Amino acid sequence: DRVGRVPVLIAGHALLLPVYGLLLSSSGSAAVLFCLLALGAYYAATDGVTTALAGAILPEGLQASGIGLLVTVISIGQFASSLAFGALWFKFGLSSAVIVFGVALAGALAIATPLLIRLRPGAAG
């Protein structure tokens, strides 16, 4: 609550970047432990914050249906990205899939960060 929803949301997604890097470069129990902790922190920093941010932005009469639609779209997107990652892994190998998704995540963060920061102050909380 001290830093606001938007910085937490951005930082949560940014936590995935070192996970992709470790998948490319490391193995061993320390890397696996870091990846598991970072993935847990990612979910902790994004799941609740995303719906809280949407609730603050949506008009009062549309909050429940808007959040429901948001969660549905996110779930469909996660499913589609899982299928795409698996297809890339199968066709081109794990390293290629990790690189593609890491670059896509970095690009999405670069585009989304300034847009999220411009949200009205009350919504960005």
Side-chain angles (χ1 to χ4, degrees):
D1 287 339
R2 284 185 220 138
V3 297
R5 296 175 190 126
V6 169
V8 171
L9 185 65
I10 293 167
H13 283 90
L15 278 171
L16 291 178
L17 288 172
V19 171
Y20 285 130
L22 278 174
L23 285 173
L24 286 174
S25 64
S26 298
S27 61
S29 57
V32 170
L33 180 62
F34 174 83
C35 287
L36 289 174
L37 291 172
L39 287 172
Y42 157 74
Y43 282 111
T46 58
D47 279 1
V49 174
T50 302
T51 55
L53 186 57
I57 293 171
L58 291 166
E60 193 169 318
L62 296 174
Q63 286 178 336
S65 58
I67 290 172
L69 181 61
L70 172 67
V71 172
T72 300
V73 169
I74 289 171
S75 297
I76 291 169
Q78 288 173 335
F79 177 67
S81 69
S82 295
L83 290 176
F85 188 92
L88 285 171
W89 186 351
F90 179 77
K91 181 77 173 168
F92 300 107
L94 177 61
S95 294
S96 295
V98 170
I99 290 169
V100 167
F101 271 68
V103 169
L105 174 61
L109 280 169
I111 293 168
T113 298
L115 296 173
L116 286 168
I117 290 173
R118 279 190 253 161
L119 288 173
R120 62 182 192 258

